[in-house]
Amino acid sequence: MLSIPKHGWVNISIGDWSDRSSYLTNPHLDLLDAFINLFGNRKVSSVYCDAEGWEYIIVFDFYTVYIIEDKDEPKLYHFDISARKLAEEVYKDINEHLQAQVLFSGRDSW
């Protein structure tokens, strides 16, 4: 779901959709927070991503993901994907490239 962060950018992929997100937000931390809110508080959660020139919002429910994209014109994407599966992918992607994720977030440690 998350590519290795490089030069201030990370790629996010869900289903057949993919787009970039810049370091202006911390998408990997924001995704973790969204999943904590979804599973811990049982509330629909969202993540704002800045692609520097356009933005998009990823909305998570337990078995549905929506992506609201505002590039040239607003678009809505819908995926019937388990949030648990996506949370596991994010966890795996972060752990596999933890040092790159820490450097990307601009923090000394987590």
Side-chain angles (χ1 to χ4, degrees):
M1 185 170 159
L2 293 172
S3 68
I4 300 170
K6 196 170 192 176
H7 307 297
W9 296 96
V10 66
N11 218 39
I12 300 174
S13 300
I14 299 173
D16 61 358
W17 176 90
S18 182
D19 208 338
R20 68 185 190 187
S21 184
S22 82
Y23 70 94
L24 295 177
T25 61
N26 283 320
H28 46 288
L29 296 178
D30 294 342
L31 286 164
L32 287 176
D33 285 341
F35 289 128
I36 289 168
N37 189 47
L38 178 65
F39 295 117
N41 299 322
R42 305 193 64 75
K43 293 185 177 188
V44 173
S45 297
S46 65
V47 174
Y48 167 82
C49 295
D50 190 331
E52 294 187 32
W54 65 90
E55 56 263 338
Y56 54 93
I57 298 170
I58 306 170
V59 181
F60 298 99
D61 199 348
F62 288 99
Y63 298 101
T64 306
V65 175
Y66 295 97
I67 300 170
I68 305 162
E69 186 179 78
D70 187 13
K71 223 178 222 180
D72 298 324
E73 60 184 56
K75 287 185 183 176
L76 177 65
Y77 300 88
H78 169 256
F79 300 98
D80 291 322
I81 298 175
S82 163
R84 184 164 306 282
K85 178 182 180 283
L86 293 177
E88 289 171 357
E89 285 182 38
V90 168
Y91 176 80
K92 178 181 154 272
D93 293 342
I94 289 172
N95 277 323
E96 284 183 1
H97 307 286
L98 186 58
Q99 186 62 32
Q101 299 290 354
V102 170
L103 292 173
F104 181 80
S105 71
R107 299 176 185 213
D108 294 332
S109 64
W110 278 357

